[in-house]
Amino acid sequence: MTSPERSTSPPQQYAERSYRSPAALVGGALLILLGLWLGVDALLRGTAATSLTALFALLLGVPLVAAFSLRPLVRASEDRLLVRNPFRTIALPWSAVEGLRATFSAEVVTGAGAKYQLWAIPVSLRQRKKATRQAARGAGADRPRFGLNMDAGPVPKAMADQTLAELREIKERAAHRETARGEPRVRWSYAVLVPSLVGAVGLAVMLAL
């Protein structure tokens, strides 16, 4: 009688985490809709010169608004950190990430000393001050850990600081993973740069005429 084969469980997988700014998404979408409404109206009802000016203005404005509001993204997987900024996309294997920090803006620093801003993780000094005041009140009150005044939980953090703490945890888990090794790769976003450049040149020519 043969013994049943033992099934080996696959290595634990961690779901990708994506970070974006909800305020930037909403604001960018509203600005694009407003620009399209005004631009299309000028294209349909304006003179030839007005229509051409409106077209170049849309080519310049819509990609730039989308680049700074809808495009920014930070995605963390098991093996790498993907940073999508307005004009560039940076793929960083976790072994290439030296540190993550937030002062006036969130940044990732590579082992070679390169710094990349994380546009999708805005730093709110107001949130940080509020979290600091809450932590100070909790520590200064010397609250007991039982009864009605029991400890409510961990020290509050601003959203950016909490996000960077999560990213540091993912980096620590990937520290010894072979698939998390490699060199950073940077790609320019020509889908944003080319129409913006065409729109800027065309708009400058139309305004000069």
Side-chain angles (χ1 to χ4, degrees), residues 133-146 148-153:
R133 288 196 300 267
Q134 290 177 348
R137 284 198 299 266
D142 194 19
R143 297 175 182 173
R145 297 185 177 272
F146 54 86
L148 296 177
N149 295 323
M150 64 181 297
D151 189 4

Side-chain angles (χ1 to χ4, degrees), residues 17-166:
R17 298 187 185 183
S18 297
Y19 303 91
R20 309 186 81 163
S21 171
L25 292 174
V26 173
L30 291 177
L31 282 176
I32 289 176
L33 289 175
L34 178 61
L36 289 175
W37 177 50
L38 296 175
V40 171
D41 183 70
L43 283 171
L44 296 177
R45 301 186 181 187
T47 62
T50 302
S51 298
L52 200 54
T53 302
L55 176 61
F56 286 130
L58 288 175
L59 282 175
L60 173 63
V62 172
L64 286 181
V65 172
F68 284 94
S69 59
L70 307 183
R71 177 177 159 79
L73 168 74
V74 171
R75 178 176 292 134
S77 65
E78 281 191 300
D79 298 328
R80 67 174 185 170
L81 179 69
L82 180 71
V83 179
R84 199 168 70 192
N85 284 340
F87 303 119
R88 295 186 297 180
T89 299
I90 305 103
L92 296 166
W94 284 116
S95 64
V97 176
E98 181 69 21
L100 293 147
R101 64 191 185 192
T103 51
F104 296 104
S105 63
E107 294 179 335
V108 56
V109 182
T110 69
K115 301 175 186 177
Y116 301 102
Q117 188 173 350
L118 306 179
W119 282 79
I121 306 175
V123 175
S124 172
L125 297 181
R126 184 178 180 181
Q127 279 187 6
R128 185 174 286 170
K129 289 179 181 178
K130 181 179 178 181
T132 302
R133 288 196 300 267
Q134 290 177 348
R137 284 198 299 266
D142 194 19
R143 297 175 182 173
R145 297 185 177 272
F146 54 86
L148 296 177
N149 295 323
M150 64 181 297
D151 189 4
V155 176
K157 291 183 179 180
M159 187 62 66
D161 297 327
Q162 182 177 343
T163 300
L164 292 185
E166 292 176 2

